Amino acid sequence: MATWKRDSRLTALQRLSCAGLAGATSHSLTAPLEVFTVLAQVGTPHSRGGLWRTGRNLCKAEGLGALWKGNLTACLRLFPYSALQLASYRRFVLLFVDDLGHISQWGSIMAGSLAGMVAAVATYPTEVVKTRLIVQNWLEPSYKGILHALYMIYHQEGIAALYRGVSLSVLGAIPFSIGSFLVYTNLHKIWAEPSLRFTPVQSFINGCLAASVAQTLSFPFETVKRKMQVLADISHRALQTWLNITFVWELGQRESKRFLTAQSPCLPRHGGVDIHFTGMVDCFKQTVKTKGVLALWNGLTANLLRIVPYFGVMFSTFEFCKRVCLYRNGYIDSPLSYKLTPGVDQSLQPQELKEFKLLGRRNF
């Protein structure tokens, strides 16, 4: 059993800011791996040949800045996403706690999954924009920025295009939750000790391990979702603008081969997906039929390589931001350590501590 707690010494705004800054920092440092993952999932020409060749081809064609395509959108999305996730998690946790305020491991995972699902659905249009910005040619962009992308997608394809593939976020949460549960419920066997005694290093390893298993199980849903996000609705366009003959250089071979690419009319340069499909189920079928079952896990290597640095930077940044906030609130002596300020009641909330200090100064 685990007890759900939050640090009451931080205000809601401070908790949100810490989470947002930590997420933005970690995402910015690992953005190239995110770009490689998305390109591999969509199946663009740049993504053929492995991580090193993908990065080299992308930098050669579009410049070094292309490694951070869509990063600003992802960072801005983190703040509303974190706010909705934290607020939703507090609500969902109440459904799983017992009378003593305890929550089981499965209940905690379910509450987190449901909260993530709510936040993902609410901010889904920004995820579509991020994917489109990553896939487009950075030197000859179809979209000039976040707002321009939202405007163009809405007016050219309709509001439904901003939510294309959203059901996969919900479906993907099922294997993700199962994977997390399988890992967390067996951690005591891995470490041969109770989960309550885990050190911070063990907790970090556990988090990375759980994320690796969970993301591997849910990755096919992410792959299909990316393909659906990129492919524009052809009902507003003539068929000839949707199908294009493209020449793709198959890396590692001397000869090139010609193939049809279902290309989004809104992304005319390197913006096409690698298969033709008419819907979610058909996308699964055509991916397996055309590319093989393993194609559903294209980009998984880059995604897994991203986990350790992502969570490492995120946790360390969050802890530093938290110490800064605790220092400003007056609970600790320095933002460089967690050494408590002498004589300060740590059970007081920030506003209560502030009022207590003001009252003490007046009496003095």
Side-chain angles (χ1 to χ4, degrees):
M1 301 289 287
T3 304
W4 176 74
K5 293 181 178 180
R6 60 185 180 126
D7 198 331
S8 61
R9 297 175 298 174
L10 299 178
T11 65
L13 181 59
Q14 287 174 336
R15 286 193 296 272
L16 175 61
S17 299
C18 288
L21 289 174
T25 302
S26 57
H27 194 285
S28 297
L29 291 177
T30 60
L33 290 173
E34 169 77 1
V35 172
F36 298 160
T37 300
V38 173
L39 293 181
Q41 289 176 317
V42 172
T44 61
H46 286 322
S47 65
R48 293 173 175 82
L51 290 178
W52 175 253
R53 289 182 176 178
T54 297
R56 186 180 64 182
N57 291 337
L58 186 61
C59 291
K60 184 178 180 180
E62 303 181 32
L64 187 62
L67 297 177
W68 279 267
K69 291 192 293 184
N71 182 61
L72 178 59
T73 306
C75 291
L76 293 177
R77 176 178 178 265
L78 284 172
F79 289 93
Y81 183 94
S82 299
L84 289 169
Q85 188 178 37
L86 288 173
S88 301
Y89 181 75
R90 292 178 59 187
R91 299 294 182 183
F92 285 122
V93 135
L94 298 177
L95 301 177
F96 298 98
V97 296
D98 56 22
D99 295 336
L100 298 178
H102 296 100
I103 183 172
S104 65
Q105 195 72 66
W106 174 247
S108 180
I109 292 174
M110 283 298 299
S113 299
L114 291 173
M117 194 184 305
V118 170
V121 172
T123 60
Y124 193 79
T126 59
E127 185 178 350
V128 173
V129 169
K130 183 192 74 171
T131 303
R132 295 280 184 102
L133 293 177
I134 288 177
V135 174
Q136 72 173 358
N137 189 318
W138 197 62
L139 298 180
E140 302 176 85
S142 301
Y143 306 118
K144 299 177 182 179
I146 302 172
L147 296 179
H148 182 251
L150 286 170
Y151 176 85
M152 293 296 292
I153 294 173
Y154 173 75
H155 283 276
Q156 292 182 348
E157 305 170 52
I159 193 171
L162 293 172
Y163 290 92
R164 188 173 296 118
V166 66
S167 59
L168 289 161
S169 294
V170 178
L171 294 175
I174 298 174
F176 188 92
S177 300
I178 294 174
S180 300
F181 178 71
L182 291 175
V183 172
Y184 279 116
T185 52
N186 290 279
L187 289 177
H188 64 284
K189 298 178 182 178
I190 298 175
W191 296 107
E193 58 182 277
S195 59
L196 295 176
R197 298 179 184 177
F198 287 159
T199 64
V201 174
Q202 287 175 321
S203 298
F204 172 74
I205 295 175
N206 296 341
C208 293
L209 182 60
S212 299
V213 174
Q215 290 185 19
T216 300
L217 293 177
S218 62
F219 204 76
F221 295 93
E222 287 294 312
T223 298
V224 173
K225 182 176 70 173
R226 298 297 184 193
K227 293 180 186 295
M228 295 185 68
Q229 287 175 341
V230 170
L231 188 64
D233 187 357
I234 65 169
S235 62
H236 301 286
R237 304 275 183 164
L239 182 61
Q240 59 267 27
T241 64
W242 182 59
L243 295 177
N244 294 278
I245 300 294
T246 59
F247 292 93
V248 176
W249 179 44
E250 293 292 337
L251 297 172
Q253 299 179 2
R254 293 183 178 181
E255 296 183 355
S256 299
K257 70 177 182 178
R258 185 175 298 200
F259 67 99
L260 282 173
T261 299
Q263 188 168 344
S264 168
C266 295
L267 301 172
R269 292 170 286 273
H270 305 299
V273 294
D274 54 356
I275 59 171
H276 300 277
F277 59 89
T278 57
M280 179 181 68
V281 176
D282 190 50
C283 187
F284 274 104
K285 291 181 178 179
Q286 295 302 323
T287 300
V288 174
K289 180 180 178 180
T290 307
K291 302 295 180 178
V293 176
L294 294 181
L296 293 172
W297 281 270
N298 282 346
L300 179 62
T301 301
N303 191 63
L304 294 180
L305 290 175
R306 180 173 175 260
I307 288 176
V308 173
Y310 182 87
F311 282 106
V313 172
M314 183 177 66
F315 289 149
S316 58
T317 304
F318 181 84
E319 288 301 315
F320 177 74
C321 293
K322 179 180 176 181
R323 288 198 300 268
V324 171
C325 293
L326 291 176
Y327 172 71
R328 290 179 58 86
N329 292 348
Y331 292 100
I332 59 177
D333 277 340
S334 170
L336 301 179
S337 69
Y338 276 112
K339 184 178 179 181
L340 302 180
T341 303
V344 173
D345 187 353
Q346 300 292 321
S347 64
L348 293 176
Q349 294 186 0
Q351 186 60 33
E352 294 174 334
L353 180 58
K354 184 178 180 180
E355 294 175 353
F356 180 78
K357 288 182 176 180
L358 290 176
L359 181 61
R361 292 172 184 173
R362 292 172 184 170
N363 292 338
F364 179 78

